[in-house]
Amino acid sequence: MKSDFSTPAAPLRGLGGPLRSSEPVRAAPAPSAAVVLLEEAADLLVVHLDFGAALQTCERALANLDAGTSLEVKCSLCIVGIQALAEMNRWREVLSWVLQYYQVPEKLPPKVLELCVLLYSKMQEPGAVLEVVSAWLQDPDNQDLPEYRALAELHLQRVLLPLGCLSEAEELVVGSAGFSEEQRLDVLQAISKARQRQKHQCLGSEEAQKLNQEGSFSHKFLSLLMLLRRLWDSTVSHFFSLPFKKSLLAALILCLLVVRFDPASPSSLPFLCKLSQLFHRIQEAIFSLYRLPIHD
């Protein structure tokens, strides 16, 4: 069957009516330099895996943006740059790198902010984005955006709760209109459980610290008792290593030298008798303590 090409083509819309043979064909507008660089950066990132070149391309495009460049192109350039930095293990530079093109946190696009939260949360450093996300959520202009609710939930789950910022999380849930009543109750219940866990951990750490202090004191006290016991045993063993009569004689000579009395004098005899009885009682007490036989 022969194809029918006699039907006229439908007029092209958006070009000011049907085309006439005398009118030149209008070409599509050429893409801007930022769009060309965006495509080049994405190709370097995904196809060639040249992350450094992709980052440099994004920076060159962002540094030469004109007034007619759409916000979506700028956001896409930042996303490609963030991915390039993460691939080069330079993820700590992401937040400062993005803020140099938006100046203030409140002006960050939701997609860029979401990517930053996910990145720093995955790298176990959610505290780096705490102030930035809080400032963005508190801005009245951002609260009317459709992405506000998703970012608020992400901030709760990935930043506030892991950091233990329970009061801030409670204020966000209660003061935000982006949560439904059911979601608000669920989040408040999760916050209450987290606060109880935090309290138990605090009490457990205090009890452990107290037990450690008590154990340390007991150990020191036992060590002191052992030291005193060794000193006492050493003293007693040294005392018994000398004959008792020699010790008694040495004590008498010492008394003679110190008191300086005449042992031949009749007045000194009672004193010598008392001194002999005292030493004899000391000997009996010491031998009875150690249950040793007494030898005169």
Side-chain angles (χ1 to χ4, degrees), residues 4-277:
D4 186 7
F5 292 100
S6 60
T7 306
L12 298 177
R13 299 182 180 275
L15 296 179
L19 270 181
R20 299 178 182 177
S21 58
S22 60
E23 294 180 351
V25 178
R26 297 179 182 177
S32 63
V35 174
V36 174
L37 290 175
L38 173 60
E39 294 177 354
E40 181 182 348
D43 187 65
L44 289 169
L45 177 70
V46 178
V47 179
H48 301 284
L49 303 180
D50 192 346
F51 310 122
L55 179 63
Q56 292 177 0
T57 304
C58 291
E59 291 176 341
R60 188 166 71 252
L62 289 167
N64 298 284
L65 290 177
D66 52 25
T69 305
S70 66
L71 297 177
E72 189 67 27
V73 173
K74 183 178 180 180
C75 176
S76 299
L77 286 168
C78 288
I79 290 175
V80 174
I82 290 172
Q83 293 176 349
L85 286 170
E87 293 289 348
M88 291 187 293
N89 200 24
R90 293 170 55 186
W91 55 270
R92 289 184 177 86
E93 306 174 26
V94 164
L95 196 58
S96 59
W97 183 83
V98 169
L99 286 174
Q100 68 179 329
Y101 300 111
Y102 287 95
Q103 284 77 45
V104 292
E106 292 83 357
K107 300 301 181 182
L108 287 174
K111 293 181 181 179
V112 172
L113 189 60
E114 179 183 2
L115 190 58
C116 290
V117 172
L118 293 174
L119 176 61
Y120 281 91
S121 174
K122 182 179 180 181
M123 303 309 296
Q124 304 297 322
E125 289 194 12
V129 295
L130 176 61
E131 295 182 1
V132 173
V133 185
S134 298
W136 192 93
L137 292 173
Q138 292 173 4
D139 188 78
D141 296 335
N142 295 328
Q143 295 179 3
D144 296 331
L145 297 177
E147 299 90 352
Y148 180 86
R149 177 176 170 182
L151 271 173
E153 292 179 359
L154 188 66
H155 185 52
L156 280 170
Q157 299 297 331
R158 297 297 186 94
V159 179
L160 294 179
L161 293 181
L163 290 176
C165 302
L166 304 181
S167 299
E168 291 82 352
E170 196 170 13
E171 290 177 3
L172 177 62
V173 174
V174 174
S176 175
F179 295 92
S180 63
E181 189 64 26
E182 183 178 358
Q183 289 179 332
R184 187 175 289 107
L185 292 176
D186 292 340
V187 175
L188 290 176
Q189 186 177 5
I191 293 173
S192 177
K193 292 180 179 179
R195 185 174 281 112
Q196 290 178 0
R197 288 194 301 267
Q198 193 178 63
K199 184 178 180 180
H200 290 324
Q201 291 175 357
C202 182
L203 291 175
S205 62
E206 290 179 356
E207 291 178 358
Q209 185 177 4
K210 184 178 180 180
L211 290 176
N212 290 334
Q213 292 177 352
E214 292 178 355
S216 177
F217 175 77
S218 300
H219 180 71
K220 291 179 180 178
F221 184 70
L222 290 176
S223 300
L224 180 60
L225 289 180
M226 293 296 294
L227 179 61
L228 293 175
R229 178 61 185 272
R230 292 195 193 99
L231 291 175
W232 174 255
D233 291 342
S234 176
T235 303
V236 172
S237 62
H238 179 71
F239 177 79
F240 283 114
S241 65
L242 298 175
F244 182 74
K245 292 183 179 181
K246 292 182 179 180
S247 301
L248 181 60
L249 179 60
L252 289 174
I253 293 173
L254 182 62
C255 290
L256 291 175
L257 293 175
V258 174
V259 183
R260 295 182 181 179
F261 64 91
D262 185 8
S265 176
S267 61
S268 62
L269 291 178
F271 176 79
L272 293 177
C273 293
K274 291 181 180 181
L275 186 63
S276 177
Q277 293 176 359

